[in-house]
Amino acid sequence: GVGEIADTITTMLKDVSKAGLNAILTLVETKNADEQIITMTESVNDRITAAAKFANDAPAIIAIQLPSPLPSLVSAARAASTTLPVLVPVNKGELASMGFPPDRFLFAALDVGASTSVADVASSDSEGDRMKMFYHENIVCIDRSPIEYLDCYRDMPVYVTSGFDLAVDNCINKDDENFEDYGQCNRFDETIGSGWWERHRQSLASRQLFTYSKGLGFSFSGWKLYGDDDDESIGKIDS
């Protein structure tokens, strides 16, 4: 029940606090017994307000992430607190069109995953697999444009909250009931020990690192990097 969930979260937050850590409370869409997303505005808004009040009163929670970028959800969170940091989930395509009233405690929570559409993941043969990788390599460098636009002109800082990886398919979800199989997962063994795939995965990693270090001022210490510790080339990306 709801009470049990609250008790569990409270216990976890105590452990988080004891460890000297902080937490971001991520809210998800609620489903009813028939697995249908609850969309009644009043019900959803009331839950968002309650969650924001809970987060605002919990010292270990530093922010909440909303389940969707609906302006009504931001208003519902603000009904509980005007200073609680709120993360609004968006994907790369939504960044340029976001519009919210000025709020210095409002942030974009960006999913940079490259496997969110059919065009991103579909491939049915070896040539298609390689073309897909080449496509992702080429588009990643333009990702910084909407990020810099939003941060500079809309005054809404962006945080990358998910999808920062080398995936160019959704095969991690292949056991899910609703998984769409386009043949994208049938040739993974071909990529193991392949010089071509090793070079292009490193290329994709380097381009991502460059894009987000320039677009967001990120600093990376060990993400996506491999090799011996004494390799002086590790972590260096020329601009």
Side-chain angles (χ1 to χ4, degrees), residues 142-162:
I142 67 173
D143 286 346
R144 60 184 282 200
S145 298
I147 292 173
E148 292 174 338
Y149 169 77
L150 194 66
D151 193 13
C152 184
Y153 294 100
R154 299 287 185 87
D155 193 24
M156 188 175 183
V158 180
Y159 285 84
V160 174
T161 56
S162 59

Side-chain angles (χ1 to χ4, degrees), residues 9 13 23-28 43-67 72-87 103 105-106:
I9 294 176
L13 290 174
I24 295 175
L25 184 62
T26 301
L27 309 179
V28 297
S43 175
V44 173
N45 288 350
D46 287 346
R47 296 182 185 195
I48 296 297
T49 301
K53 184 178 185 306
F54 175 83
N56 194 59
D57 294 339
I61 296 179
I62 59 173
I64 64 169
Q65 179 170 323
L66 300 177
S72 61
L73 300 188
V74 176
S75 298
R78 284 289 168 255
S81 172
T82 58
T83 58
L84 175 69
V86 174
L87 305 180
D103 185 336
F105 296 104
L106 192 63

Side-chain angles (χ1 to χ4, degrees), residues 113-159:
S115 58
T116 56
S117 71
V118 174
D120 287 335
V121 303
S123 57
S124 57
D125 54 34
S126 299
E127 181 179 1
D129 293 342
R130 295 191 177 204
M131 289 297 293
K132 182 172 63 177
M133 170 59 87
F134 190 66
Y135 161 77
H136 285 294
E137 283 181 81
N138 278 273
I139 66 170
V140 72
C141 288
I142 67 173
D143 286 346
R144 60 184 282 200
S145 298
I147 292 173
E148 292 174 338
Y149 169 77
L150 194 66
D151 193 13
C152 184
Y153 294 100
R154 299 287 185 87
D155 193 24
M156 188 175 183
V158 180
Y159 285 84

Side-chain angles (χ1 to χ4, degrees), residues 114-126 128-130 132-133 136 167-176 178-191 197 201:
S115 58
T116 56
S117 71
V118 174
D120 287 335
V121 303
S123 57
S124 57
D125 54 34
S126 299
D129 293 342
R130 295 191 177 204
K132 182 172 63 177
M133 170 59 87
H136 285 294
V168 293
D169 58 52
N170 58 344
C171 296
I172 192 173
N173 301 317
K174 66 181 180 180
D175 294 328
D176 292 355
N178 297 323
F179 177 75
E180 296 288 346
D181 187 356
Y182 306 101
Q184 69 269 33
C185 305
N186 296 342
R187 293 161 302 282
F188 181 76
D189 289 346
E190 293 181 11
T191 70
W197 280 98
R201 281 175 175 150

Side-chain angles (χ1 to χ4, degrees), residues 153-232:
Y153 294 100
R154 299 287 185 87
D155 193 24
M156 188 175 183
V158 180
Y159 285 84
V160 174
T161 56
S162 59
F164 193 76
D165 53 46
L166 298 181
V168 293
D169 58 52
N170 58 344
C171 296
I172 192 173
N173 301 317
K174 66 181 180 180
D175 294 328
D176 292 355
E177 183 179 352
N178 297 323
F179 177 75
E180 296 288 346
D181 187 356
Y182 306 101
Q184 69 269 33
C185 305
N186 296 342
R187 293 161 302 282
F188 181 76
D189 289 346
E190 293 181 11
T191 70
I192 300 175
S194 165
W196 189 95
W197 280 98
E198 182 177 347
R199 291 192 303 274
H200 284 267
R201 281 175 175 150
Q202 180 61 20
S203 170
L204 179 61
S206 296
R207 291 170 190 234
Q208 286 180 332
L209 287 167
F210 177 82
T211 295
Y212 293 106
S213 65
K214 291 295 183 181
L216 291 174
F218 278 11
S219 175
F220 301 92
S221 58
W223 292 5
K224 299 175 181 285
L225 307 179
Y226 60 87
D228 297 329
D229 291 339
D230 58 358
D231 184 348
E232 294 182 355

